[in-house]
Amino acid sequence: MVDVKGYEGIFKITTCGKLLSVKSGKILKTSENKRGYLVYNSRGKRVRIHRAVAEAYLDNPYGLPVVNHKDGDKQNNSVYNLEWVTFSENTKHAYMTGLVKRGGSSEGRAVP
């Protein structure tokens, strides 16, 4: 487990996306946001789980802005399922995996 960027000493994150409170030592409950991503929101603290895992465990030498779920499953926040990509690459991946349908209809938009 390593510290969550921006919340050092408050939260730690595992390679599979479990969020731990340093103070209580407990795994925190996450919820699904309106776009289907797991997040933790409480008392003004907001952690997007997939992004926290990527920032903690994945190198990003080119400063790519978006975290992509390789299998298209927004609930699968394992470090092995995440990668840093460009906005364009993320959009192409969303079309290729069927997350976004041609013509604009989608179950959920591909977002960072």
Side-chain angles (χ1 to χ4, degrees):
M1 261 188 251
V2 298
D3 284 322
V4 172
K5 183 180 176 184
Y7 295 103
E8 293 83 356
I10 300 171
F11 299 127
K12 290 190 179 285
I13 193 91
T14 67
T15 58
C16 63
K18 299 293 183 188
L19 187 67
L20 175 89
S21 166
V22 172
K23 185 176 181 181
S24 71
K26 294 181 181 179
I27 299 292
L28 300 171
K29 290 185 180 181
T30 57
S31 60
E32 187 177 316
N33 71 10
K34 61 185 171 187
R35 291 188 171 165
Y37 294 92
L38 293 178
V39 296
Y40 174 78
N41 283 305
S42 180
R43 299 185 183 140
K45 294 176 177 65
R46 179 174 175 249
V47 178
R48 293 178 291 172
I49 302 302
H50 68 292
R51 191 153 192 98
V53 171
E55 288 175 341
Y57 295 102
L58 295 177
D59 290 332
N60 189 7
Y62 302 108
L64 299 173
V66 180
V67 179
N68 183 51
H69 290 83
K70 295 176 186 177
D71 68 358
D73 180 358
K74 297 174 186 179
Q75 305 284 313
N76 181 358
N77 294 309
S78 166
V79 69
Y80 304 107
N81 187 48
L82 303 176
E83 63 185 344
W84 289 104
V85 297
T86 65
F87 287 106
S88 176
E89 290 168 331
N90 194 49
T91 300
K92 288 176 188 172
H93 181 262
Y95 279 105
M96 288 175 29
T97 59
L99 294 173
V100 175
K101 308 289 185 226
R102 300 257 181 236
S105 71
S106 68
E107 199 172 298
R109 288 184 24 224
V111 295

